[in-house]
Amino acid sequence: TVFSLALPIFFQSLLGLSLGYIDTIMLSNYNDIAVGAIGNANSILGFLNLAFNIISSATGVIVSQYLGAKQFEKMNKIYTVAISFNLALSVVISLIVFLFSEPLLIIMQVPTEMIPDANMYMKIVGGTIFTQAVFNAFSAIFMSHGKTGFGMFVSLGNYCFLYGPLSFLDLGTEGVAISTCLSRIFALVAAIIYFYKVIQGRLGIKYLRPFPINILKELLKLGIPTAGENI
């Protein structure tokens, strides 16, 4: 049982790690400056992505606890708090990245000749990073239910999608950024469908009235130490 649960997680991690290098591979024969620009931009985006792990990691723990205690009536409330908080936090971060991408690159001392390509990539990929944040929360929920294979199949789909549209290479950095965003949107749509059809979970404003502040505090209490360790 442990092996059957762990194997999909291993492949998901392996494919997820590979996804980080695909943009570089796609541009390797296009422009050396563009390759360096994306590398610098991904350093910033990768660090910002740690903020989303605060809730995602804690969501998995709390969902597992409530499932084990058979408190099923509270599950939809936990799902809604986790997804909505991750969405709100990530939208703010996406907006900051979109508006201040160039100053962030300057602070990171990115070479001047790389800034135009890196800035373009940051605005497109960073401006839609909220899709990845929400997907991470869904993924944590699925793993808590023992559905570890979902992340592996979605990562494989993203891998094929990014390697497939080679016509995007004509657009250079912009095209690679667009393909990355589209793959994330595909993953998020698949996660939402899976959540409703297989997990049979529900999200809604009614689960936030009155606002379950205790659940949010519990999520932050568990998640902040994990995020701090990663940072």
Side-chain angles (χ1 to χ4, degrees):
T1 301
V2 173
F3 185 78
S4 65
L5 289 173
L7 193 61
I9 296 176
F10 167 75
F11 281 109
Q12 177 186 351
S13 301
L14 182 64
L15 290 167
L17 183 64
S18 300
L19 287 174
Y21 298 104
I22 289 180
D23 286 348
T24 302
I25 294 171
M26 291 175 70
L27 284 172
S28 61
N29 295 321
Y30 178 81
N31 188 315
D32 289 339
I33 292 178
V35 172
I38 284 185
N40 281 285
N42 278 328
S43 296
I44 299 174
L45 295 176
F47 182 79
L48 293 175
N49 195 51
L50 292 174
F52 311 139
N53 292 333
I54 294 175
I55 298 300
S56 297
S57 59
T59 298
V61 175
I62 292 181
V63 169
S64 297
Q65 290 176 344
Y66 278 84
L67 284 174
K70 300 187 184 301
Q71 297 185 27
F72 304 117
E73 71 281 356
K74 293 184 179 180
M75 299 309 300
N76 288 333
K77 187 170 290 189
I78 295 172
Y79 299 150
T80 302
V81 172
I83 298 296
S84 59
F85 185 84
N86 243 25
L87 178 61
L89 178 64
S90 60
V91 165
V92 171
I93 292 177
S94 293
L95 186 61
I96 291 173
V97 172
F98 182 81
L99 295 176
F100 302 103
S101 57
E102 188 168 346
L104 286 171
L105 292 167
I106 293 173
I107 291 173
M108 290 289 291
Q109 298 183 0
V110 174
T112 305
E113 65 273 15
M114 293 183 181
I115 285 182
D117 281 330
N119 187 43
M120 174 67 71
Y121 186 85
M122 284 269 288
K123 283 187 178 298
I124 297 175
V125 177
T128 57
I129 200 173
F130 63 90
T131 56
Q132 182 65 43
V134 177
F135 174 79
N136 288 348
F138 276 118
S139 184
I141 292 171
F142 300 155
M143 288 187 182
S144 298
H145 283 269
K147 308 297 184 181
T148 57
F150 175 82
M152 178 183 69
F153 288 118
V154 169
S155 295
L156 182 60
N158 285 351
Y159 189 95
C160 295
F161 184 92
L162 283 174
Y163 240 121
L166 297 180
S167 58
F168 275 129
L169 288 177
D170 293 334
L171 296 175
T173 306
E174 183 180 2
V176 172
I178 291 172
S179 66
T180 299
C181 292
L182 290 177
S183 71
R184 287 179 174 177
I185 293 172
F186 157 76
L188 180 57
V189 170
I192 293 172
I193 295 173
Y194 193 86
F195 175 75
Y196 276 92
K197 296 294 185 180
V198 179
I199 303 300
Q200 296 185 339
R202 294 293 181 267
L203 303 173
I205 299 295
K206 65 180 180 180
Y207 299 116
L208 299 178
R209 295 176 180 171
F211 188 79
I213 188 65
N214 290 335
I215 293 178
L216 180 59
K217 286 181 178 179
E218 196 171 353
L219 286 169
L220 294 174
K221 181 180 178 181
L222 290 170
I224 288 177
T226 302
E229 177 186 354
N230 290 333
I231 291 172

